[in-house]
Amino acid sequence: MGDHKELQPVRVGAAVRRRRRALELTLAVVAERSGLSVPFLSQVENDRARPSRGSLEKLADALRTTAVELLAAADPAASVDVMRAEEPGEGDFVPRTRSLVRGHHQMHASEFTGDHDAGREFQHRNDELMYVADGAVEIEAEGRAYRLGRGDTLYLTGGVRHRWRATVPDTRVIVVAVAEHIEAFQDRTR
């Protein structure tokens, strides 16, 4: 046991793809600059292949960055993270927001407890799910009002403007959404 912490392998593919797209480069251009093949680069970006240290250095040079920066922007290959509930004091059910996911991931989740600013309008880039864990809420979306009680869910596609408010004291709402940095949306023309 001891103080040894095993390093988790990382998925560098998403970091490589984000950097390449930010520079508006094609795989063919990166292949030419790095001396690596297009099929190999595609496999790297899709996390089907892990580049060696030398290949990662060549790739970083082609993307005008460093291997250290690419690794820092990489996603962990496997991770488990526990977020412990906060123990409320007696009669201490104050409005609050608590993140349920730590770090930079593909999903974001929050718990809203108590009353909520009903006047605030939200519009997220990607899809979102609202789950009423306790109490009840009223949600206005796409010109319609929805009343949700304990155990009910509402799914909103990306781009839907909405607002909500708690209608019962001690309401708890869990909101799970695809993270903003993920390109999971479709262009929905109306």
Side-chain angles (χ1 to χ4, degrees), residues 59-119:
L59 188 52
D61 288 344
L63 296 171
R64 298 185 184 116
T65 189
T66 65
V68 171
E69 289 293 322
L70 286 175
L71 289 171
D75 300 326
S79 65
V80 175
D81 191 15
V82 175
M83 295 283 290
R84 298 285 180 198
E86 298 170 9
E87 293 294 324
E90 191 174 321
D92 182 27
F93 211 79
V94 296
R96 66 185 167 93
T97 302
R98 178 173 79 98
S99 180
L100 301 176
V101 179
R102 219 185 323 250
H104 187 72
H105 297 286
Q106 295 181 11
M107 179 176 56
H108 181 74
S110 297
E111 175 187 53
F112 296 89
T113 306
D115 204 4
H116 180 70
D117 179 6

Side-chain angles (χ1 to χ4, degrees), residues 111-179:
E111 175 187 53
F112 296 89
T113 306
D115 204 4
H116 180 70
D117 179 6
R120 184 172 177 202
E121 185 175 68
F122 298 92
Q123 181 180 25
H124 302 285
R125 178 178 176 200
N126 292 320
D127 295 1
E128 172 180 340
L129 175 86
M130 297 179 77
Y131 170 74
V132 181
D134 287 307
V137 297
E138 186 174 88
I139 301 167
E140 182 185 316
E142 293 295 306
R144 292 186 58 198
Y146 302 89
R147 295 180 195 275
L148 278 65
R150 184 172 191 254
D152 291 340
T153 61
L154 180 77
Y155 187 87
L156 302 159
T157 57
V160 171
R161 292 182 184 277
H162 61 283
R163 68 181 83 231
W164 65 276
R165 67 181 183 90
T167 58
V168 173
D170 300 347
T171 293
R172 280 188 324 122
V173 176
I174 308 296
V175 177
V176 180
V178 176

